[in-house]
């Protein structure tokens, strides 16, 4: 029963949100296991965190699967392209290390820094592209172009997002007792934190896009 201070209803609200976060995290883990589906899973994660957990509209599993299915093709192709680039860059790093180990020119060190920078930029971009897909219906080309522009234009926000992601990965690895908590909560909590950061960017873009449509 609810007491006069409303603590009963507040407790129910927070427990409900906690349960929704756990369910959402488990859905993301389940649909990310095949690896190639991680793009669609990440778009659905952001969409559901924003719509259900943040704004209280709909049910977690229903909204998650709706977005996962609708975005599957575009998100999967984007994810596979990004993974191919990352694999190529990793092979390039292996080749650079081999050249340096065999006494190659110091020029390879600068090439290595360039490759590392490219990998970081791809990781920064990936933090925009799937949330963007969850928020806007756009072609593949426009999605890539717009998210690259947003990533660069809001570079410090991009770095902040990467820092949050790194902390979500590294902390459970250092404090292993947190691993079960990390699996149950960190995906949805990361989506909520990134939502706070990205929605300030997306809302501005959405207003500009609406104005452009009204002018035509």
């Amino acid at each position: 029963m609810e007491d006069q201070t409303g603590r009963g209803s507040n407790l129910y609200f927070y427990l409900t949100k906690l349960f929704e976060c756990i369910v959402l995290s488990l859905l993301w883990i389940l649909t990310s296991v095949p690896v190639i589906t991680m793009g669609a899973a990440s778009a659905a994660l952001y969409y559901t965190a924003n719509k259900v957990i943040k704004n209280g509209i709909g049910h977690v599993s229903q909204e998650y699967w709706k977005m996962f299915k609708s975005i599957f093709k575009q998100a999967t192709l984007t994810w596979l392209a990004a993974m191919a680039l990352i694999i190529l860059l990793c092979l390039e790093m292996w080749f650079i290390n081999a050249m340096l180990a065999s006494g190659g020119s110091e020029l390879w060190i600068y090439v290595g820094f360039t490759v590392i920078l490219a990998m970081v930029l791809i990781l920064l971009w990936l933090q925009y592209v799937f949330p963007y897909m969850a928020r806007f219906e756009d072609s593949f080309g426009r999605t890539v172009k717009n998210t690259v522009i947003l990533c660069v234009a809001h570079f410090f926000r991009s770095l902040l997002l990467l820092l949050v992601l790194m902390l979500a990965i590294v902390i459970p690895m250092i404090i292993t007792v947190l691993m079960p908590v990390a699996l149950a909560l960190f995906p949805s909590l990361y989506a909520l934190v990134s939502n706070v950061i990205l929605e300030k960017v997306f809302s501005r873009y959405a207003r500009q896009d609406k104005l452009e449509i009204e002018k035509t």
Side-chain angles (χ1 to χ4, degrees):
M1 292 179 64
E2 179 184 350
D3 59 24
Q4 292 181 350
T5 62
R7 285 177 295 188
S9 59
N10 287 338
L11 178 61
Y12 177 80
F13 174 81
Y14 289 119
L15 287 176
T16 299
K17 291 300 177 182
L18 177 62
F19 177 75
E20 288 177 343
C21 285
I22 293 172
V23 171
L24 180 57
S25 294
L26 293 178
L27 283 171
W28 181 81
I29 292 169
L30 174 66
T31 51
S32 295
V33 168
V35 180
I36 63 170
T37 58
M38 192 173 288
S42 297
L45 173 71
Y46 185 90
Y47 175 84
T48 309
N50 180 57
K51 184 174 182 178
V52 181
I53 298 178
K54 180 181 176 182
N55 294 304
I57 303 172
H59 301 282
V60 170
S61 58
Q62 180 180 350
E63 298 298 334
Y64 186 92
W65 288 115
K66 181 177 72 174
M67 175 53 64
F68 184 85
K69 293 174 184 176
S70 66
I71 205 67
F72 182 82
K73 182 178 179 180
Q74 186 181 27
T76 301
L77 289 175
T78 304
W79 173 248
L80 290 176
M83 288 297 294
L85 284 174
I86 291 173
I87 290 171
L88 285 174
L89 290 172
C90 288
L91 291 174
E92 183 68 19
M93 283 300 300
W94 176 84
F95 177 76
I96 291 169
N97 288 331
M99 293 299 295
L100 290 172
S102 62
S105 169
E106 290 185 358
L107 177 64
W108 288 107
I109 296 176
Y110 299 102
V111 177
F113 282 131
T114 304
V115 172
I116 292 172
L117 177 60
M119 293 180 70
V120 171
L121 290 175
I122 291 173
L123 290 176
L124 293 177
W125 170 70
L126 283 172
Q127 295 176 107
Y128 279 82
V129 67
F130 299 116
Y132 181 94
M133 289 180 181
R135 291 283 276 107
F136 304 102
E137 291 185 12
D138 224 337
S139 65
F140 175 80
R142 278 177 56 87
T143 296
V144 172
K145 183 190 75 172
N146 288 340
T147 49
V148 168
I149 292 172
L150 291 174
C151 177
V152 174
H154 303 275
F155 189 69
F156 291 107
R157 290 183 187 271
S158 304
L159 288 177
L160 179 59
L161 279 169
L162 185 60
L163 175 62
V164 172
L165 179 61
M166 292 297 102
L167 288 175
I169 295 173
V170 171
I171 290 175
M173 294 176 65
I174 297 174
I175 310 174
T176 54
V177 71
L178 291 178
M179 188 62 70
V181 177
L183 292 174
L185 287 175
F186 277 24
S188 56
L189 291 180
Y190 171 75
L192 289 170
V193 172
S194 63
N195 181 271
V196 173
I197 298 171
L198 289 175
E199 284 305 308
K200 293 180 180 179
V201 177
F202 289 161
S203 59
R204 187 185 312 168
Y205 174 84
R207 286 197 299 271
Q208 292 173 351
D209 192 52
K210 182 178 179 181
L211 288 174
E212 290 177 3
I213 293 172
E214 290 175 349
K215 290 177 182 178
T216 58

